[in-house]
Amino acid sequence: MAEGKTTKYWKSWKEGPGASPLVQISRDEFPEPLDRPAEQFSRRSFLKAVGFTAAVATAGAGCSHAPVEKAIPYLIQPEEIIPGVSYFYATTCGGCSAGCGVLAKNRDSRPIKLEGNSEHPISRGGLCAIGQASLLDLYDSHRLKEPRLDGKVASWEEVDREIIARLAEIRKSVGSVRFLSGTILSPTLNAQIKKFLGQFNDGRHIVYDALSSSAILDAHQETHGQRLLPHFRFDKADVIASFDADFLGTWISPVEFTRDYAAGRRLDTKPLRMSYHAQFESRLSVTGAKADRRVRVSPQELGESMVRLASRLARFAGAPFPLTVNDSASVQDAVLEDLAKKLWQARGRSLVVCGVQDVGLQVLANYMNELLENYGSTVDVARPSLQKGGNDRELQALLDELKGGKVAALFLYGVNPVYSLPHGPQFAEWIKQVPLAVSFADRLDETSAVARFVCPDHHALESWSDAEPVLGHISLFQPAIHPLGRTRAALESFAIWGGQPKTAYDAVRDYWRENIFPRIRGAADFQSFWDRSVEAGFAVVSADPPKTTKFRTTALRDVAKTTVASDKFSLVLYPKVAMLDGRHTENPWLQELPDPISKVTWDNYACFSPRAAQRLGLEEGDVVRVETDAQIGSSPALELPIFIQPGQHDQIIAVALGYGSKGTERFSDIGPKWLFARPDVGEDGRIGKNASPLLSFEDGTLQYIREGVSIRKTGKRHTLASTQTHQSLTLPGNVPLLGGKQREIVRETTLPVLVADAKSPSSEPSKANGLWPPDHPYTGHKWAMAIDLTACTGCSSCVVACQAENNISVVGKDEVVRHREMHWMRIDRYYSGQEDVDVVHHPMLCQQCDNAPCETVCPVLATVHSAEGLNQQIYNRCVGTRYCANNCPYKTRRFNWFNYMREDHLQNLALNPDVTVRSRGVMEKCTFCVQRIEAARIEARRHDKPIADGQIQTACQQSCPAQAIVFGDLNDPSSRVAKLAQDRRRFGVLEEFNFRPSVNYLALVRNREGAEEKGKESQNHG
Amino acid sequence: MSRRVVVGVFAEEGGLLGVTRAARAQGLKVIDAYTPYPVHGLDSAMGLRPSRLPWVCFLAAIAGAALKLWFEFWTTMVDWPLNVGGKPWNSLPAFVPVTFEVMVLSAGLTTVFAFLVLARLWPGKRPVLVSHGITDDRFVLVLEESNAQFDLDRVRKLLEKFGAVRVEERLEEA
Amino acid sequence: MADFVLPAQQSLIAGNKTPADVTRDICHSLEGRPTPLWWGGFLVAFSLLLLGGAAVTYEVATGIGTWGVNRTVGWAVGITCFVFWIGIGHAGTLISAILFLLRQRWRTSVNRSAEAMTIFAVMCAGVFPMIHLGRPWMAYWLFPYPNTRGSLWVNFRSPLVWDAFAIGTYFTISLVFWYLGLIPDLATVRDRLCCGFRHKLASLLSLGWNGSFRTWHRYESVYLMLAGLATPLVLSVHTIVSWDFATGIIPGWHATIFPPYFVAGAIFSGVAMVLTLVLVARKTMRLEDYITIRHIDVMCKLLLLTSGIVGIAYATEFFTALYSTGPFEEFAFLNRAFGPFGWSYGIMVSCNVLVPQLLWFRKVRSNLWMVFPISILINVGMWFERFVIIVTSLHRDFLPSSWTNYRPTPIEISMLLGSFGLFFTLFLLFCRLLPVVAMAEVKGVLHVGHERRVELPATPPSFPSVEELEAVGAGTARGGLG
């Protein structure tokens, strides 16, 4: 056709009029005459236009860094939100009252993962299992979406109208207003509550922790004249004596403590040093499992041994010891003498902690710390911890008031007393009588079900707030997503009811302007301070220390000497690492997380020592009736399956709190549904049994130990879903010749031995080449991991982190019973020794063997080796022969036996878009978080520089509070992982078979005499 | 072109064997024998050369094996080389089993196919039975009336001497 | 093998049969109505088949989770059945091919049913690798075919690929071999009938066979060659199956003794199964004259031999394990015998090693009421042998943390039963549709024992005189007609 008619659109100026001959040619290569009238808008130019608009729009949009006050769906795409690219909001974990800092990983404006905030002063990068799992709660469709009035869904307007009206009445009258809450870390909220209650003649704020540390505060009231919880500094402690304080598992601030504790036990110094840790406890706790010296004592003996230890310390200090000491008890003097010496030598660098809810013992602990000059060093009262503020006396007072029907208005925030108090049912009745009972619970739990008003608060990831876990360390909450329901921040509710409506954002910001900002030294303008804080997620400000008096020895009192009949037990009620007081009971990740010690999922149970069980002729899974002797009022009883727990004292029964709560019925339909599927919940349709009725109040503190408990067999049985059925590396006795022999899977040694063979060369990875020529050299990266068993506490945060990162399914109890749990990362737990067992925690994940047995046997090449040493699993090629799993010596491969649907489809929002969701019939396993490796590679390529060591952090590594896991490039000699591969403690599991695992383990070291009997025993391991 | 043949039907393999030998000794041309089962010694009596099928079998085996072995190397080292469990590119020992199987398969199938072709057997072919009961218990010898001095009576006598139950002359379309 | 050769003077086939009798007897059982016994057997077998079919359907629709397998014990009843059935198949090929090469003429009366058994057994075996896949509909990925994924081929280093080829080849060759043997008999069937379904079928399948000896001549050499091929094939197949385990790293699998051990075991179980079937067929199809006590006696001796081999293998395994002083290896075997699955080990040893010792006694061998239960017990034992090898090795391997137990679900059990259902359904149908005894071959051995050969004097070069011919002819005629 004629040139004149057609219009040729050119792609660029050069290509068009000012085209060079060369371009001319290149254009003629692909001549595209668009014989279309010029005025008509061509497809291509339309696209160009669109592109331009979008570009301008985005450029215009995101330049300002104004904080997202309200997350709104894109009208204009903000700059930082690039579809498919993750970005992080620094905020705070709402999982418990420890106030750890987290980075909420957002993708397409929804949080998909929580990572520890490595700058945060409290957690410093770690995040516990609960923190990791709290993400799932955000997407829990069972969360209340709107306020409720008289059990019916209502609008905020109605609710507010009603409440305000009633409050007005109360203001006129002299009705008493009570605010019952768990420990509230938020200074803003506290201030607001104070202000709010101030409007009434009789307003009081009662703090009640279901897992109370009230005794510690009371003790300091007596010894230091201030009711405070000191900030324990395990990092500064060289000698730690812990009396039933599970500080690595559930006590006050486990992530922080674990981090500090591990810091004191890193064996990378010259000369080698590690802290010494003695644990006196009756049940086997995570902390006890790490102890260098663990002393099994009954709750009664515990007090005595504390007295005896104190008396010795007093002797060293030359101070008179006012208490009566009876050395009759079972604990040998040698042990206490030795410990006392160690403590005394480490004066000022030692630490005595006590987890018992007994003011007398707490005073004793303070006394010892005083003698050891630990106050001011390892026990910080100048900047005390605010993580537990519970006051059990006031709680009791409140209960009396409620009983008397004296309370006009009761606000319940972050507590579930009907469930967690010993006399819950009565409490429910009392609440019903209160004219104005308001609950802020975000789900319809036992308490909010009976409260007349339910004003659901946001999830932590939806709200603006702040938290002050330790005086002067203030951490910020910022929303990572628009509230999913019509919930409202408590801050806003109070503002409205108080008469001056204010958004949570303003409330927090204003509070910070008035109260926090002035406390910062070298203060710039508030805006920049605020921006910095929001960006960092926290601020450290000065704080005037509470006025403590000189230590009052007068507070010391004798320890009540109780003896238990031999046929009776004392009941120990303890929090589980994943479940705590049961606030996360509806979280499937946590329910399926194996308990670090018992490895049981989906249940609580009565733990007996092997001997006790033998004496009573009980098998694991037998259901027994735990009966308390007739108490004042009722004598509650509980039917529980028994679990045989080595290392536990023979005189006690340990039962976990936090189970059997309303709402766990939902898990009845969690597992796959098929012909022979068994129920995933108990007979009563719930997960486990609620043990809180067995709690009791004694001299003003909530007691977790109960004397004189008897056992009755019921003849019923209840299967416990345990992920590990064989508990030790010792071969079963019924196998002749080998029975009782050890398997050298885990290497364990003691500090003296380690120091001794410091000269000897470190065990190199076997370079033996086997049959084959080395056809596959790793020229580029060679990814590898190192796991320090000395640091690992078994806290299992890595397990949940992995689950969150890699979209790992929850399979439900029945499937776990059938040994089909899906965790890619598991923590094997082995016992050694007979009565006083030693515990080894052995994180086990795909070892990414260079000579991977799984690869050779796959018929369809669905698992092959990458050029960087990764053992890849190609899901869409897998046909599911399961040959690879059979042939995996570490049994780290997991098979999709069914289509494991999420029980709550809304929770699919938490899926990580970077990781394939596996379908039925496909094998899966740890990939070393290959998606993170790739992300880092892309990042590095973009900036055109090599991947730095530590730039890639696997999910497990990131969340590990003890920093036990190191990942990196083995080919980079300067990388940490390469250095650790040369470490003297290094060993590979089953190395002798020349699988060439890419995971190096560092032997577990216990700080005890090699000569010690235990030491010898543990020599067998490695 | 058609030819005249003499058909002798026997009830005993012995008779057939004997008469075949005798007939050939007399220079008579044995066209074929028909038996319900392979009578041992009849091949030598008829003077049949050993079949060439073993060669087919042998060649097919070699070809199949070679092809497969090449294929295995090509797929694992050339077409898409993948690191499988750190095994070397040349994993000859692992390639042997499949090679062997394919060898057997190709040899077996080829041979049988060749046999069917040579013996002109195919599904649904209409059988031409020289005599009733040939697949039951009858043994038949078919002689050609080769030339002029072919003496029918003598041949008949010969056949009957060996216990032929029936002797007839036929015009056979060849 | 010398003790399998029967003295030349004793007849293989009882009752002084003529070829015509053979034809009549064998075809009679086809042409008559099925006996109530047959119907009973068929109904039982078929209902089992239906049960199995339902189970498989459910499993494929729902997931492998419907089995009792778990993260540690990835294979169990499914693969056990696979190995078991493959083993059963072997005896068929042994009898038809190996004994053919060894000129064991007694095989003629049983080889047809033995070969049929092979084919049906391989069919049963073939089902299991298929349905035990997580995604059975992807089973074809095990074969290398050009595809749009690269092409992405298969992993020729994986024993499962070897399996796929081995089983495929084995099935094809056995089928061809079997069919080849059937052609002349089909021709016989065809010629007995004038019309009807059977006639049509026979005419179609007999390929226009006309008994020409030139064809017989080629036929024999082909048959010989197939026998020659099938012999190493059958050995290779179970060798490869054994490599599924021997190439694995699991203690209790990783053993060099496996190939011969498995082959022997296969033949052992196979012969036992042949015996079971033959004893049944003999009664139900009235074939006492063809399947005589002698045949049974010979097979019993074969059982005795293979049982011996298997027994030695068990002992050797144990010895090597203990001698190795490899802690994992030692444990695997001690655990096998004394661990949670000790009972299955007990069944295995008693059924495979102890019970067959009874066969040393001629009285036992000739007493069918003893032989029959023994043959069944042996098959039970051999099933458990595979179960022991697979499950007890897996359930307690290297890391005690992942040790588990295993309990089959009803689904698995029904599949096991279903496989037997499939097998017997096919076999009973075979009995009705095709000649269960290779007539042509039997006719070929009728004269064994009855010397009726005609001895001719060396024929003179010259044209013989009529007289001479008479002399000879007379003898022949007499012999011929006598």
Side-chain angles (χ1 to χ4, degrees), chain C residues 27 36 38 53 60 103 118 122 148 181 186 194 212 225 267 276 331 374 426 429 439 443 449:
Chain C
C27 295
W38 186 91
V60 171
R103 297 261 177 274
T118 299
V122 175
T148 55
L186 284 169
C194 60
S212 149
M225 276 182 287
I267 292 167
T276 319
F331 178 77
I374 289 177
L426 291 171
L429 286 176
M439 292 183 276
K443 291 172 187 173

Side-chain angles (χ1 to χ4, degrees), chain A residues 13-337:
Chain A
W13 169 255
K14 271 203 157 38
E15 210 175 349
S20 70
L22 191 65
V23 178
Q24 191 64 41
I25 296 158
S26 74
R27 181 167 28 142
D28 293 344
E29 198 182 343
F30 309 103
E32 342 174 13
L34 307 168
D35 38 359
R36 190 189 291 108
E39 64 273 12
Q40 203 177 322
F41 203 42
S42 85
R43 194 188 102 273
R44 183 173 300 175
S45 43
F46 167 73
L47 289 179
K48 270 188 287 183
V50 170
F52 175 76
T53 332
V56 172
T58 45
C63 292
S64 72
H65 268 291
V68 191
E69 175 192 347
K70 241 169 176 290
I72 54 167
Y74 308 155
L75 294 173
I76 308 157
Q77 179 183 323
E79 186 187 41
E80 71 271 21
I81 298 178
I82 306 157
V85 176
S86 309
Y87 50 99
F88 293 82
Y89 287 124
T91 176
T92 309
C93 176
C96 72
S97 61
C100 302
V102 296
L103 300 176
K105 180 183 186 181
N106 265 41
R107 171 68 70 85
D108 306 341
S109 78
R110 69 170 203 271
I112 55 168
K113 174 86 168 61
L114 298 182
E115 308 259 290
N117 180 351
S118 51
E119 272 103 52
H120 195 273
I122 300 302
S123 57
R124 281 156 295 163
L127 189 60
C128 70
I130 290 176
Q132 290 286 352
S134 61
L135 172 72
L136 208 57
D137 294 344
L138 168 66
Y139 298 112
D140 184 348
S141 61
H142 287 226
R143 261 173 63 215
L144 292 178
K145 290 172 192 59
E146 52 275 288
R148 300 169 71 86
L149 172 52
D150 297 324
K152 283 183 293 311
V153 172
S155 72
W156 280 110
E157 292 67 32
E158 304 170 51
V159 173
D160 289 342
R161 205 180 316 113
E162 283 275 340
I163 293 179
I164 290 167
R166 292 170 180 286
L167 287 176
E169 293 166 17
I170 296 170
R171 279 204 195 77
K172 288 196 222 77
S173 69
V174 285
S176 54
V177 178
R178 295 291 175 262
F179 188 94
L180 178 63
S181 77
T183 301
I184 293 176
L185 290 180
S186 166
T188 312
L189 182 56
N190 277 325
Q192 205 164 28
I193 292 166
K194 200 145 173 286
K195 187 145 152 284
F196 175 76
L197 293 173
Q199 303 171 337
F200 306 97
N201 320 355
D202 176 18
R204 224 139 93 280
H205 180 185
I206 298 99
V207 180
Y208 148 57
D209 296 315
L211 303 175
S212 174
S213 300
S214 175
I216 303 178
L217 288 88
D218 297 347
H220 281 85
Q221 176 73 61
E222 299 187 14
T223 57
H224 291 73
Q226 276 288 346
R227 194 167 187 286
L228 56 76
L229 173 66
H231 185 209
F232 297 107
R233 303 297 305 274
F234 289 86
D235 52 341
K236 294 188 179 168
D238 290 348
V239 179
I240 301 162
S242 160
F243 293 88
D244 217 356
D246 183 13
F247 58 86
L248 297 176
T250 54
W251 194 61
I252 300 175
S253 180
V255 172
E256 174 190 4
F257 293 162
T258 305
R259 172 64 186 254
D260 290 347
Y261 180 78
R265 296 167 77 85
R266 296 227 166 284
L267 290 155
D268 47 14
T269 54
K270 291 215 185 332
L272 288 172
R273 56 164 290 282
M274 72 189 283
S275 67
Y276 176 83
H277 167 206
Q279 181 86 357
F280 291 70
E281 61 180 11
S282 49
R283 70 177 186 94
L284 178 56
S285 71
V286 175
T287 313
K290 283 311 281 183
D292 301 307
R293 192 83 173 83
R294 177 168 177 274
V295 187
R296 287 193 309 154
V297 289
S298 74
Q300 298 74 33
E301 295 160 350
L302 190 87
E304 292 170 12
S305 10
M306 279 182 85
V307 173
R308 290 162 61 194
L309 184 66
S311 70
R312 283 174 172 74
L313 290 174
R315 199 181 69 224
F316 291 142
F321 189 64
L323 305 187
T324 54
V325 184
N326 46 0
D327 280 7
S328 63
S330 62
V331 183
Q332 308 116 342
D333 289 319
V335 178
L336 292 163
E337 196 63 37

Side-chain angles (χ1 to χ4, degrees), chain A residues 743 820-821 857 883 920, chain C residues 60 67 71 135 158 244 397:
Chain A
R743 277 200 173 171
R820 293 170 181 174
E821 71 275 7
V857 297
Y883 199 173
R920 171 199 138 195
Chain C
V60 171
W67 292 6
R71 61 154 201 251
R135 303 198 289 172
S158 164
D244 286 350
D397 64 341

Side-chain angles (χ1 to χ4, degrees), chain C residues 189-476:
Chain C
V189 174
R190 174 196 65 202
D191 299 343
R192 274 178 65 88
L193 309 163
C194 60
C195 44
F197 162 70
R198 276 215 189 70
H199 176 74
K200 282 204 175 50
L201 188 71
S203 320
L204 181 72
L205 295 180
S206 55
L207 311 179
W209 179 272
N210 64 357
S212 149
F213 190 78
R214 295 181 182 282
T215 311
W216 270 124
H217 181 52
R218 290 203 185 92
Y219 175 91
E220 280 197 289
S221 64
V222 172
Y223 200 84
L224 181 66
M225 276 182 287
L226 278 190
L229 287 170
T231 304
L233 176 62
V234 70
L235 298 183
S236 81
V237 168
H238 226 58
T239 303
I240 287 173
V241 169
S242 79
W243 281 338
D244 286 350
F245 309 105
T247 58
I249 51 112
I250 297 297
W253 283 13
H254 189 70
T256 45
I257 190 183
F258 268 25
Y261 165 17
F262 268 53
V263 171
I267 292 167
F268 183 47
S269 61
V271 174
M273 182 59 94
V274 178
L275 210 45
T276 319
L277 293 179
V278 155
L279 288 173
V280 175
R282 188 168 180 277
K283 271 267 156 289
T284 53
M285 324 274 311
R286 308 185 203 78
L287 296 171
E288 286 84 350
D289 291 343
Y290 296 87
I291 302 156
T292 62
I293 292 296
R294 309 213 167 286
H295 294 106
I296 292 158
D297 184 80
V298 174
M299 285 196 270
C300 287
K301 289 177 178 165
L302 199 49
L303 281 181
L304 203 47
L305 174 81
T306 41
S307 147
I309 300 176
V310 171
I312 289 168
Y314 295 161
T316 319
E317 247 188 340
F318 236 96
F319 171 74
T320 5
L322 298 185
Y323 192 67
S324 74
T325 71
F328 300 105
E329 198 68 18
E330 287 178 336
F331 178 77
F333 283 90
L334 291 166
N335 180 59
R336 197 173 268 187
F338 304 99
F341 286 99
W343 57 271
S344 58
Y345 189 83
I347 296 181
M348 159 180 133
V349 172
S350 44
C351 291
N352 297 350
V353 184
L354 304 183
V355 169
Q357 300 312 317
L358 289 169
L359 297 172
W360 284 108
F361 308 102
R362 182 172 296 279
K363 277 204 162 27
V364 177
R365 291 206 300 275
S366 55
N367 176 352
L368 303 188
W369 294 114
M370 296 286 280
V371 175
F372 188 67
I374 289 177
S375 70
I376 296 209
L377 278 181
I378 288 172
N379 272 311
V380 172
M382 283 312 290
W383 191 89
F384 272 99
E385 177 195 298
R386 280 58 175 258
F387 180 83
V388 165
I389 291 171
I390 292 171
V391 173
T392 63
S393 309
L394 280 174
H395 87 119
R396 287 182 167 184
D397 64 341
F398 294 96
L399 303 193
S401 65
S402 24
W403 287 2
T404 63
N405 214 324
Y406 165 77
R407 179 177 290 101
T409 61
I411 302 288
E412 274 161 302
I413 303 295
S414 350
M415 283 181 186
L416 167 61
L417 298 176
S419 67
F420 279 92
L422 174 61
F423 180 78
F424 284 106
T425 309
L426 291 171
F427 193 82
L428 288 165
L429 286 176
F430 155 75
C431 292
R432 291 299 308 159
L433 292 178
L434 299 166
V436 280
V437 174
M439 292 183 276
E441 296 201 37
V442 170
K443 291 172 187 173
V445 297
L446 278 178
H447 57 69
V448 176
H450 321 275
E451 261 318 323
R452 323 176 71 144
R453 277 279 174 69
V454 178
E455 289 317 324
L456 286 174
T459 39
S462 67
F463 196 91
S465 70
V466 179
E467 293 71 30
E468 288 169 303
L469 291 175
E470 280 171 350
V472 182
T476 318

